[in-house]
Amino acid sequence: MKTTINDSARRHSPFWALTAVFLTLVFLQGMDLISLLEQRSRLQTTLADFHKIMPQAVIINKTVENLGRDLLAMTNQEARQIIADFKIAGNPGK
């Protein structure tokens, strides 16, 4: 039996189509990996900056907390006015 041109055209291989899809997926995954690595680098930089300023934040927080406690402990009218104006409330958990 002789193979005609029409028969050979009907029996094509999906190799090139699947290869193109596979290469496209590999490319997209590579781009995602690059994006994730850049994001990781930015996150590490931000975390390092955070660790640098954290001791200052703890000091400021303690100072403000102590100031608030001192205000709440005051019994005179001026302290009550300051507490009311700034809506200062004690934290019963600490």
Side-chain angles (χ1 to χ4, degrees):
M1 185 178 203
K2 197 174 191 182
T3 305
T4 64
I5 296 174
N6 290 337
D7 288 341
S8 66
R10 278 187 254 155
R11 287 189 260 146
H12 65 282
S13 172
F15 174 77
W16 292 113
L18 291 175
T19 301
V21 169
F22 177 74
L23 290 176
T24 301
L25 291 175
V26 167
F27 174 76
L28 292 173
Q29 289 297 318
M31 296 302 290
D32 284 345
L33 179 63
I34 290 170
S35 174
L36 286 173
L37 291 174
E38 290 173 351
Q39 185 178 5
R40 180 180 179 214
S41 175
R42 287 191 304 269
L43 182 62
Q44 287 173 340
T45 302
T46 303
L47 192 58
D49 292 342
F50 175 74
H51 285 303
K52 289 177 188 174
I53 63 170
M54 189 61 184
Q56 291 175 332
V58 169
I59 292 169
I60 292 169
N61 191 33
K62 282 289 187 189
T63 303
V64 170
E65 185 177 323
N66 291 336
L67 179 63
R69 284 187 184 155
D70 290 344
L71 280 173
L72 289 172
M74 291 180 162
T75 57
N76 63 22
Q77 184 61 30
E78 187 177 325
R80 283 191 216 121
Q81 185 62 39
I82 292 171
I83 291 169
D85 288 346
F86 292 102
K87 298 177 185 168
I88 299 171
N91 189 353
K94 291 190 178 183

